[in-house]
Amino acid sequence: MLSSKLRQPIVVVLGHVDHGKTTLLDKIRGTALVKKEPGEMTQEVGASFVPSSVIEKLAEPLKNIIPIKLDIPGLLFIDTPGHELFSNLRRRGGSVADIAILVVDIVEGFQKQTIESVEILKERKVPFLVAANKIDRIPGWKVYDNEPFLFSFKKQSISVQKKLDELLYNNLVLQLASLNFNADRFDRVTDFTRNIAIIPVSGKTGEGIPELLAMLAGLTQRFMQGKLKFVEGPAKGVILEVKEDPGLGHTIDVIIYDGILKKNDIIILGGVNGTIVTKVRSLLLPSPLQDMRIAKTGYRSVDEVSAAAGVKISAPNLEEALAGSPIYSVDSDDKIPEFKKIIEDEISKVRFSRGVTGIVVKADSLGVLESIVYGLEKRNIPIRVADIGPISKKDVVEAELSAKDAEEYGLIAAFRVKPLPNLDTSKIKIIYDDIIYQLIDDVEKYIEDVRERRKRRTYDTLILPAKIKIMPGYVFRRSDPVIAGVEVLGGIIKPKFPLITEEGKRIGEVLQIQDNKKTIDKATKGMEVAMSIKGNIMIGRQINEGDILYSDVPKEDLEILVNNYRDTITDDMKEVIQELIKIKRAEDPLYGLTIKI
Ligand code: GDP
């Protein structure tokens, strides 16, 4: 049932490491705690609730500048800042987060993870505003603890005011413009649907916090009415984390973004090995510290929670619950299959196995897996398998299959997962990292390194194109090894080169080449030499006098030859290359596809 009631918007904090995300969140929580009336709960699981009464009180001095009367009940801040948790706040085609604060150190400006944050927010379609943090570090800044920014700003010297605006424009507005966002200091923005508001703050001194909260509340309730309408039906949510709690067993921390969740409700959620249907045993919220009776587990049990809320769910069969998975409650058993299907469809989009040559990605949660896959695909790194859980025999086999086609893809990218015991991973590379973008960077670097190493292979180690003819009447030995006179028709032939027939069949490799009884290390077009050939063949069976043979040039060697040693390719070798491509394409349609000769 739709009511006119609005729910609290869900707010996340993102930004570069050390730019002050944690400090800012702590300050917001601390400020709320000081300003709240007794009995107004602020603590939830994985999130903190700041009631509207607090925001209105804080913004009271600003009422002539930012008039706000709040219809939303408050703001729900996700407690853990950063990419990893944000990834798990996934929802079909977007995020459970309604709005984000992008924290940027005003002195340092945009850094790598700031840009990545903007990208991930764009990808998940989450609007954001910018907290230009650490304004107290601007040389000459005089601190006015917890004051609105506009008040503190007015009391600064002209040179400090100028410096702030200079940093704001050079380090933030211009950077955002280069990412195609129009932005301005919040008090100079006239159209908030077109411009991103930048609010100068200090997480340390609390300056600017009133405006930050007022803008968050004001913008969300003005522009997100539809999304924030409170629905009195069954709950919809997302699993933030799966935990094992002392005295509780396996529990899930969940953000409910729609509806009401009650004790004993049937819930459906994604698991590592398929969807899980279970029943809520208890709904848990942090207990106030003073309550000694229930402080044992640290939680108190409630009968229901309504959106938006962060809550811990205790229920049977949660061992395999999947972080980042949707969770739904249903009011009748008939609806179970429908919701099971919704969850399965959504999860199968993120977990996949394709028959392509590419890397294997394993992660411990759905949201992170999705973000890694997105990041890799943006860098054109092909993915063969994307899945949840520890690295298994199957993953290793898949990586080995990729490696056969291209060594650089014989790789497993592992986010917070390990190989199962006694697994032989010696033939492939595994890259571990607990930071999404670090993992992506490392994977890209590894792939480039392998390619670079290959490129640096010297001319002497390449198998070169060659075409030879077994001269009729010059067979000295029919097998083991074959010894015969051959004429080089084109290219260069050397010992150890593998040989194929005109049909592309491998027959063995060159053992030795002699010219006038002297052993030589190569023979070129026009030469007639004696050659011994090792292999399970016999002249008169697999090959005959007068047959034409080619050297079996691997795809990579051909690419390196053409790309790096083009000037060594003679006209006769060029012809051999063209014939080789024809022969090899029958087996491998990609052979020689990328080269131009
Ligand atoms: P996070 O990695 O983004 O969560 O950053 P933190 O909140 O851990 O902050 C990193 C460092 O910057 C810490 O030493 C903080 O004390 C400091 N810091 C954070 N906010 C401010 C601020 O507004 N002013 C000043 N001067 N220091 C800050």
Side-chain angles (χ1 to χ4, degrees):
M1 210 174 53
L2 225 62
S3 65
S4 58
K5 231 172 89 182
L6 297 178
R7 64 165 174 84
Q8 52 272 55
I10 299 165
V11 187
V12 290
V13 176
L14 291 181
H16 193 70
V17 65
D18 279 346
H19 279 198
K21 301 180 291 295
T22 314
T23 311
L24 188 69
L25 266 166
D26 283 348
K27 194 68 176 182
I28 291 170
R29 275 194 295 256
T31 312
L33 218 61
V34 173
K35 294 275 177 183
K36 81 181 172 69
E37 302 293 335
E40 279 178 334
M41 272 302 302
T42 55
Q43 211 39 48
E44 303 201 12
V45 171
S48 301
F49 177 56
V50 178
S52 279
S53 56
V54 168
I55 300 169
E56 281 172 350
K57 248 183 265 174
L58 282 167
E60 169 72 21
L62 290 162
K63 65 174 184 291
N64 294 330
I65 311 158
I66 316 177
I68 56 163
K69 208 203 132 299
L70 292 177
D71 301 322
I72 52 170
L75 295 167
L76 188 71
F77 287 88
I78 302 294
D79 278 339
T80 312
H83 295 328
E84 276 67 33
L85 204 81
F86 175 75
S87 290
N88 276 343
L89 282 167
R90 55 188 303 288
R91 179 179 175 179
R92 206 176 331 167
S95 174
V96 162
D98 297 298
I99 192 163
I101 305 173
L102 180 69
V103 177
V104 192
D105 182 327
I106 192 169
V107 181
E108 277 196 8
F110 267 56
Q111 300 294 320
K112 195 155 180 275
Q113 284 167 284
T114 324
I115 296 166
E116 287 159 359
S117 300
V118 173
E119 277 170 4
I120 192 169
L121 288 169
K122 242 205 263 185
E123 180 219 338
R124 302 275 169 114
K125 303 186 188 76
V126 179
F128 63 95
L129 43 77
V130 175
N133 194 32
K134 306 199 187 183
I135 52 172
D136 62 292
R137 282 184 57 207
I138 295 171
W141 184 269
K142 275 171 75 182
V143 170
Y144 298 93
D145 277 327
N146 301 317
E147 288 235 351
F149 161 75
L150 291 172
F151 293 11
S152 174
F153 185 70
K154 234 190 243 161
K155 293 184 256 185
Q156 306 295 328
S157 68
I158 301 288
S159 70
V160 168
Q161 289 183 352
K162 261 199 178 147
K163 184 73 193 161
L164 183 136
D165 275 336
E166 211 178 281
L167 288 168
L168 193 127
Y169 283 95
N170 290 337
N171 289 349
L172 304 179
V173 174
L174 287 179
Q175 299 276 7
L176 281 160
S178 72
L179 297 170
N180 290 326
F181 286 102
N182 292 321
D184 208 339
R185 214 174 82 179
F186 71 101
D187 52 316
R188 295 170 185 151
V189 174
T190 47
D191 183 352
F192 287 100
T193 59
R194 286 165 185 273
N195 284 282
I196 289 175
I198 304 175
I199 299 128
V201 298
S202 165
K204 196 170 163 198
T205 69
E207 286 159 295
I209 300 283
E211 284 107 327
L212 182 62
L213 293 175
M215 290 300 296
L216 283 169
L219 292 178
T220 46
Q221 83 170 19
R222 187 153 144 218
F223 297 111
M224 291 179 188
Q225 291 269 336
K227 207 177 170 197
L228 298 178
K229 283 246 160 26
F230 181 71
V231 183
E232 262 175 32
K236 291 183 185 159
V238 65
I239 303 175
L240 268 194
E241 283 184 279
V242 182
K243 286 185 177 157
E244 210 179 340
D245 283 280
L248 291 171
H250 282 88
T251 61
I252 47 177
D253 291 357
V254 167
I255 297 290
I256 304 293
Y257 62 86
D258 209 355
I260 301 173
L261 182 64
K262 301 191 182 92
K263 202 169 156 171
N264 294 324
D265 270 355
I266 297 169
I267 47 173
I268 306 167
L269 52 134
V272 178
N273 295 306
T275 44
I276 299 168
V277 180
T278 184
K279 201 168 169 185
V280 177
R281 191 188 285 139
S282 44
L283 294 171
L284 302 161
L285 291 176
S287 62
L289 283 176
Q290 59 272 29
D291 198 338
M292 295 307 287
R293 280 172 301 130
I294 39 176
K296 240 191 202 158
T297 60
Y299 296 100
R300 65 198 177 97
S301 173
V302 294
D303 289 337
E304 63 171 57
V305 291
S306 53
V311 66
K312 185 182 279 296
I313 300 176
S314 153
N317 306 321
L318 292 180
E319 300 79 20
E320 292 193 346
L322 199 50
S325 154
I327 174 168
Y328 298 106
S329 72
V330 289
D331 45 19
S332 83
D333 286 358
D334 316 346
K335 298 211 177 120
I336 294 177
E338 178 194 336
F339 280 95
K340 258 179 122 165
K341 173 133 196 343
I342 293 176
I343 291 180
E344 274 159 19
D345 283 354
E346 211 187 311
I347 290 180
S348 65
K349 263 186 230 138
V350 185
R351 301 170 82 173
F352 60 77
S353 177
R354 306 167 176 151
V356 303
T357 302
I359 73 164
V360 173
V361 185
K362 297 292 300 245
D364 66 339
S365 80
L366 206 59
V368 168
L369 182 65
E370 190 176 42
S371 287
I372 296 171
V373 166
Y374 177 80
L376 289 168
E377 283 179 342
K378 256 188 27 193
R379 298 191 197 187
N380 292 319
I381 296 169
I383 299 162
R384 184 180 180 92
V385 175
D387 204 0
I388 303 290
I391 297 165
S392 67
K393 176 89 194 287
K394 184 171 169 294
D395 298 324
V396 174
V397 171
E398 295 283 350
E400 284 173 2
L401 282 172
S402 278
K404 271 199 191 137
D405 270 347
E407 188 198 349
E408 63 267 40
Y409 295 141
L411 168 65
I412 299 178
F415 185 91
R416 285 197 201 133
V417 292
K418 292 202 170 64
L420 291 168
N422 306 323
L423 195 61
D424 177 12
T425 60
S426 59
K427 288 208 198 82
I428 49 145
K429 168 88 180 166
I430 304 181
I431 296 179
Y432 301 93
D433 213 298
D434 286 359
I435 298 170
I436 295 176
Y437 288 93
Q438 199 62 53
L439 184 62
I440 294 170
D441 279 354
D442 291 352
V443 165
E444 191 177 38
K445 181 162 185 312
Y446 174 81
I447 290 172
E448 276 168 11
D449 283 353
V450 174
R451 289 193 179 142
E452 201 46 46
R453 210 184 319 140
R454 195 163 57 215
K455 259 200 220 150
R456 276 200 306 267
R457 267 184 55 193
T458 55
Y459 182 75
D460 294 339
T461 64
L462 294 178
I463 292 173
L464 301 169
K467 179 182 181 183
I468 58 175
K469 180 181 175 180
I470 299 174
M471 290 156 54
Y474 287 91
V475 173
F476 307 116
R477 208 178 142 128
R478 298 203 162 263
S479 74
D480 197 20
V482 167
I483 299 175
V486 306
E487 181 188 351
V488 182
L489 302 176
I492 299 173
I493 189 88
K494 293 182 186 178
K496 293 217 175 80
F497 280 13
L499 295 170
I500 50 172
T501 63
E502 282 178 298
E503 288 75 44
K505 211 180 255 140
R506 186 63 93 84
I507 53 137
E509 71 176 48
V510 177
L511 207 54
Q512 218 184 48
I513 306 173
Q514 287 192 348
D515 187 15
N516 286 326
K517 304 229 158 88
K518 261 179 48 200
T519 301
I520 54 172
D521 58 7
K522 69 173 180 199
T524 51
K525 181 180 158 70
M527 288 173 72
E528 291 179 359
V529 293
M531 182 179 288
S532 53
I533 301 170
K534 187 172 69 174
N536 224 346
I537 45 154
M538 189 182 271
I539 296 214
R541 291 251 179 93
Q542 293 84 356
I543 49 171
N544 290 298
E545 293 185 21
D547 273 3
I548 305 274
L549 302 175
Y550 290 86
S551 57
D552 190 4
V553 182
K555 187 159 58 178
E556 268 170 38
D557 290 39
L558 184 61
E559 280 169 17
I560 296 164
L561 175 72
V562 174
N563 293 333
N564 301 359
Y565 303 101
R566 175 175 289 273
D567 49 355
T568 66
I569 301 174
T570 50
D571 285 346
D572 57 292
M573 188 183 273
K574 208 181 270 179
E575 262 172 49
V576 177
I577 291 173
Q578 271 146 359
E579 290 168 24
L580 255 177
I581 288 176
K582 259 192 217 135
I583 296 169
K584 299 290 285 183
R585 284 258 173 101
E587 281 272 311
D588 177 2
L590 299 179
Y591 189 89
L593 203 65
T594 56
I595 61 158
K596 278 206 193 76
I597 56 165

